[in-house]
């Protein structure tokens, strides 16, 4: 048995570590996923005014700022039993849904694509053939002119001629696991560059209702403050305009690109690479009229799609048997005498991430979980999006439960949200037209209960986010967060059950144990956000590892 350590492993929030045990055939036998930074926003929140919970919790992450901001305020509102005006709910949903589009596109192109696309190989592409290729996957392919591909190729050539790949440096270029043709590589890379503009535009859209982004600041306990923006037709139009452009990119570039990727890596999908334990969790949400919501709540156990169980928050527990905690205390004892971290084995503690469990089971959350649960719960809105993608790519629902399938689910979800986001805007406009302009639930803070508890469960881009707050004497007494990556990147628990990342790695074959590209694919496909998963910065948290992956990106 040989051990491989990959650290850090993400292109953002880069303090995720993977220790992999492979046998003599390079097949993964065991995996230890570790969050390497100890943070403690929950501790910082103690004794604070509950109305400040959002602004503080938003700092848990630099990427998921809005998700924590909103969840914290929602938990406090739950504690005070404050009912939100409809418009405030819609504005919050619009900010969240715009973030879904941004996160998913950034993830696909800037954080994950280069695991599948060989940059150096794109230099061999024929621009004319690339343009033809574009038409195979879309009736109106995005930025698909012959001239455009010539210019993209020239840009890439400049990097290479200068003797450095710039932002594309340090990839496993030339790895045998790269399977796309030069033209396919060039096409995807051209959209990599276009997606940078997309990212900027969506930020502007979020800022229309959020005040700014990252770290929007217009959500307050009881409502929202972006009242003037909501009531200004020009501001609404600006938002709609950006969203229409975003939808065009998603429909004409992202979704077709996903189909291309599925075709190129079909074999891996059919082999079931990246399949996990089959336990999926979704809390649902995003209701835009009386009878319609984007996502259904539900739980799937052991890959049995025929039985969707109702979601019950009381089934959630947290286990710290294999995390560096001892009950509520931190026990960070895994340093070697020379200050390096010990590698994990047998019964060791090995992560700052706790192990949340649902009905004692290790769960996967995120786009795939949402798609599966909503589809099998009979959500009529999502069904055509899933069915048409499967039909065009010749995949089954089972196939989605793989590494490439997780990416496909994310792309399907993005197209779905980009379509239905406009229904939320319609509802908002209707409300305003009929003089429902309320944005804040009036309350007297002094008269609210001094002691209370509240919780919030939200679907956010990476999965299920939950915040729990306990208030005493009008101050926060206890605070707790379980982020999507806490679920997915969790370590083992008392019963030895693996986390979702770990489970997905078992049985994977590495072509080259010195270049564990396959491991990166499996883990990146979950879109890890480790800042979210662990919450107190510790000066002792050291980076160690045999492989240092320094995939730069333009973020
Ligand atoms: Mg951060
Ligand atoms: Ni995050």
């Amino acid at each position: 048995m040989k051990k491989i350590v990959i650290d850090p492993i993400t292109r953002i929030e880069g303090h995720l570590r993977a220790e992999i045990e492979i046998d003599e055939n390079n097949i993964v036998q065991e995996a230890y996923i570790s969050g390497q930074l100890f943070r403690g926003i929950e501790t910082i929140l103690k004794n604070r005014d509950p109305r400040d919970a959002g602004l503080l919790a938003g700092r848990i992450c630099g990427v998921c700022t809005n998700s924590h901001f909103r969840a914290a305020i929602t938990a406090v509102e739950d504690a005070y039993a404050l009912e939100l005006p409809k418009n405030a709910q819609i504005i919050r949903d619009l900010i969240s849904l715009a973030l879904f589009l941004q996160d998913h596109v950034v993830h696909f192109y800037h954080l994950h694509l280069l695991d599948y696309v060989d940059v150096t190989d794109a230099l061999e592409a024929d621009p004319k053939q690339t343009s033809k290729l574009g038409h195979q996957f879309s009736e109106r392919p995005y930025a698909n002119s012959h001239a455009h591909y010539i210019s993209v190729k020239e840009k890439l050539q400049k990097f290479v001629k200068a003797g450095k790949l710039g932002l594309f440096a340090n990839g496993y270029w030339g790895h045998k696991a790269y399977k796309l043709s030069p033209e396919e590589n060039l096409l995807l890379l051209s959209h990599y560059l276009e997606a940078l503009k997309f990212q900027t535009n969506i930020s502007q859209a979020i800022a229309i209702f959020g005040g700014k982004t990252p770290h929007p600041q217009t959500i307050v306990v009881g409502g929202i403050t972006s009242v003037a923006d909501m009531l200004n037709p020009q501001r609404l139009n600006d938002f709609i305009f950006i969203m229409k452009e975003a939808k065009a990119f998603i429909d004409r570039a992202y979704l077709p690109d996903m189909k291309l990727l599925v075709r190129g890596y079909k074999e891996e999908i059919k082999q079931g690479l990246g399949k996990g334990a089959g336990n999926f969790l979704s809390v649902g949400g995003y209701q835009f009229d009386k009878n319609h919501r984007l996502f259904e709540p539900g739980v799937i156990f052991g890959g049995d799609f025929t039985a969707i169980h109702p979601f019950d928050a009381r089934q959630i527990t947290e286990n710290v048997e294999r995390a560096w905690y001892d009950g509520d205390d931190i026990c960070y004892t895994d340093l070697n005498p020379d200050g390096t971290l010990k590698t994990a084995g047998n019964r060791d503690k090995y992560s700052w991430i706790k192990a949340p469990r649902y009905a004692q089971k290790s769960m996967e959350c995120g786009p795939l979980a949402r798609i599966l649960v909503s589809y099998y719960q009979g959500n009529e809105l999502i069904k055509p999006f899933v069915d048409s993608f499967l039909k065009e790519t010749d995949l089954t629902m089972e196939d989605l439960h793989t590494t490439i399938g997780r990416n496909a689910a994310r792309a399907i979800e993005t197209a779905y949200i980009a379509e239905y986001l406009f229904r939320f805007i319609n509802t908002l406009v209707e409300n305003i037209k009929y003089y429902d302009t309320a944005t804040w639930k009036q309350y007297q803070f002094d008269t609210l209960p001094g002691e209370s508890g509240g919780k919030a469960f939200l679907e956010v881009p990476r999965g299920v986010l939950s915040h729990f707050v306990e208030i005493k004497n009008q101050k926060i007494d206890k605070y707790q967060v379980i982020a999507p990556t806490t679920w997915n990147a969790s370590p083992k628990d008392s019963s030895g059950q693996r986390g979702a990342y770990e489970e997905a790695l078992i049985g994977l074959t590495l072509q080259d144990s010195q270049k564990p590209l396959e491991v990166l694919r499996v883990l990146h496909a979950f879109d890890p956000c480790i800042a979210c998963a662990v919450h107190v910065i510790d000066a002792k948290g050291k980076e160690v590892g045999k492989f240092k992956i320094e995939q730069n990106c333009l973020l």
Side-chain angles (χ1 to χ4, degrees):
M1 202 75 77
K2 190 167 140 189
K3 192 152 197 165
I4 299 175
V5 180
I6 310 171
D7 180 10
I9 215 163
T10 47
R11 290 191 174 86
I12 48 162
E13 304 304 347
H15 17 264
L16 175 66
R17 167 188 174 104
E19 297 180 13
I20 315 284
E21 289 171 4
I22 52 172
D23 66 9
E24 63 281 7
N25 298 314
N26 279 357
I27 298 172
V28 177
Q29 303 295 317
E30 190 52 275
Y32 299 91
I33 294 297
S34 172
Q36 294 278 301
L37 260 192
F38 180 52
R39 311 180 71 237
I41 303 282
E42 284 129 324
T43 314
I44 295 171
L45 275 153
K46 262 194 157 184
N47 297 319
R48 301 290 187 142
D49 188 313
R51 289 168 294 185
D52 290 341
L55 289 169
L56 292 163
R59 266 62 187 178
I60 284 174
C61 180
V63 176
C64 317
T65 62
N66 168 63
S67 301
H68 292 290
F69 181 39
R70 180 181 183 180
I73 288 171
T74 308
V76 171
E77 285 164 347
D78 182 53
Y80 290 139
L82 291 173
E83 238 179 77
L84 208 55
K86 282 182 206 149
N87 295 331
Q89 183 72 32
I90 297 171
I91 294 286
R92 290 183 187 186
D93 281 345
L94 285 174
I95 296 174
S96 295
L97 293 172
L99 183 72
F100 268 86
L101 304 188
Q102 182 175 45
D103 267 9
H104 286 358
V105 167
V106 168
H107 171 263
F108 181 68
Y109 288 102
H110 305 137
L111 305 177
H112 193 26
L113 188 68
L114 301 185
D115 294 339
Y116 297 100
V117 164
D118 189 330
V119 174
T120 56
D121 187 60
L123 293 175
E124 311 298 320
D126 173 349
K128 213 175 225 169
Q129 290 304 319
T130 309
S131 179
K132 262 191 190 167
L133 173 72
H135 287 281
Q136 287 182 26
F137 295 94
S138 170
E139 279 173 23
R140 293 174 61 218
Y142 196 86
N144 192 54
S145 75
H146 180 185
H148 174 71
Y149 291 118
I150 292 179
S151 85
V152 173
K153 215 177 131 178
E154 275 168 5
K155 260 184 211 163
L156 290 176
Q157 260 154 355
K158 263 187 210 159
F159 277 127
V160 176
K161 264 195 192 149
K164 50 181 189 183
L165 278 162
L167 68 126
F168 297 129
N170 297 324
Y172 291 143
W173 312 132
H175 196 292
K176 275 188 203 135
Y178 283 115
K179 290 197 175 150
L180 300 180
S181 70
E183 285 73 25
E184 290 172 326
N185 284 322
L186 182 63
L187 185 140
L188 293 173
L189 277 172
S190 96
H191 293 161
Y192 177 113
L193 299 174
E194 297 296 323
L196 293 168
K197 290 177 217 158
F198 177 99
Q199 196 187 148
T200 314
N201 295 343
I202 298 266
S203 292
Q204 286 168 355
I206 295 174
I208 288 174
F209 296 127
K212 68 185 185 66
T213 197
H215 297 300
Q217 48 194 10
T218 55
I219 302 176
V220 290
V221 171
I224 51 134
T225 61
S226 38
V227 187
D229 306 286
M230 186 188 90
L231 295 175
N232 181 343
Q234 185 57 51
R235 297 287 276 169
L236 272 176
N237 271 336
D238 288 348
F239 186 85
I240 292 169
F241 179 79
I242 296 170
M243 286 306 145
K244 279 189 174 162
E245 285 208 315
K247 181 170 164 32
F249 180 81
I250 290 158
D251 290 343
R252 294 168 56 203
Y254 183 17
L255 203 58
D257 288 353
M258 198 59 234
K259 291 172 189 167
L260 184 156
L261 200 72
V262 166
R263 187 180 73 176
Y265 289 91
K266 191 60 129 326
E267 208 180 313
E268 262 122 273
I269 302 172
K270 292 297 177 186
Q271 285 168 356
L273 289 193
K275 206 172 273 294
N279 302 325
F280 297 98
L281 177 71
S282 166
V283 295
Y286 300 98
Q287 183 112 18
F288 60 85
D289 64 30
K290 229 182 215 162
N291 306 312
H292 296 100
R293 62 183 162 200
L294 296 187
F295 301 113
E296 305 299 323
V299 187
I300 295 172
F301 293 103
D304 181 3
F305 299 157
T306 60
I308 311 290
H309 301 261
F311 168 73
D312 175 4
R314 291 167 303 180
Q315 299 286 336
I316 297 173
T317 52
E318 270 195 319
N319 189 289
V320 294
E321 176 86 9
R322 310 297 298 276
W324 287 311
Y325 304 89
D326 183 11
D328 279 343
D329 297 323
I330 292 152
C331 79
Y332 189 54
T333 57
D334 272 22
L335 288 179
N336 288 316
D338 65 355
T340 55
L341 274 174
K342 286 175 187 167
T343 56
N346 37 51
R347 302 300 300 162
D348 290 341
K349 288 176 177 282
Y350 62 94
S351 181
W352 286 119
I353 302 173
K354 296 177 184 178
R357 294 293 183 256
Y358 183 93
Q360 307 302 321
K361 294 287 180 197
S362 168
M363 286 283 150
E364 169 174 349
C365 58
L368 174 60
R370 282 190 288 262
I371 294 265
L372 291 175
V373 169
S374 298
Y375 187 94
Y376 286 111
Q377 285 279 49
N379 183 307
E380 287 299 322
L381 306 177
I382 209 165
K383 200 173 177 303
F385 283 81
V386 179
D387 287 341
S388 74
F389 187 91
L390 296 180
K391 191 168 172 247
E392 284 169 47
T393 51
D394 195 23
L395 294 183
T396 65
M397 286 299 278
E398 293 283 335
D399 292 331
L400 291 179
H401 183 198
T402 55
T403 289
I404 308 265
R406 283 187 187 96
N407 287 307
R410 189 175 288 110
I412 294 167
E413 173 175 283
T414 311
Y416 173 55
I417 291 172
E419 172 83 20
Y420 279 100
L421 185 139
F422 295 96
R423 301 288 283 273
F424 289 76
I425 300 172
N426 290 351
T427 310
L428 178 68
V429 171
E430 284 293 301
N431 289 348
I432 297 169
K433 209 159 89 186
Y434 291 102
Y435 308 106
D436 173 10
T437 55
T439 51
W440 188 62
K441 161 87 185 168
Q442 213 153 11
Y443 62 88
Q444 276 290 325
F445 185 66
D446 305 343
T447 65
L448 293 172
E451 275 194 44
S452 185
K455 57 192 182 307
F457 291 94
L458 281 182
E459 285 293 343
V460 298
R462 291 167 180 80
V464 176
L465 173 64
S466 41
H467 279 222
F468 306 88
V469 63
E470 270 177 48
I471 297 166
K472 238 184 210 170
N473 304 320
Q474 292 293 38
K475 294 269 192 281
I476 295 172
D477 185 49
K478 278 189 187 142
Y479 205 90
Q480 210 196 345
V481 175
I482 305 177
T485 305
T486 321
W487 285 101
N488 291 336
S490 85
K492 296 168 186 63
D493 55 30
S494 317
S495 69
Q497 199 179 184
R498 298 181 188 102
Y501 286 11
E502 293 174 339
E503 195 60 48
L505 285 167
I506 306 302
L508 194 71
T509 307
L510 309 187
Q511 298 216 20
D512 179 351
S513 65
Q514 293 298 309
K515 294 176 178 170
L517 177 61
E518 297 88 346
V519 175
L520 297 185
R521 285 180 179 168
V522 171
L523 298 179
H524 286 160
F526 283 93
D527 194 5
C529 197
I530 302 304
C532 273
V534 196
H535 310 116
V536 189
I537 293 167
D538 186 280
K540 284 181 200 158
K542 284 187 182 167
E543 272 181 11
V544 285
K546 291 176 191 158
F547 297 103
K548 194 152 184 173
I549 311 298
E550 289 174 333
Q551 288 278 17
N552 297 322
C553 70
L554 285 186
L555 291 176

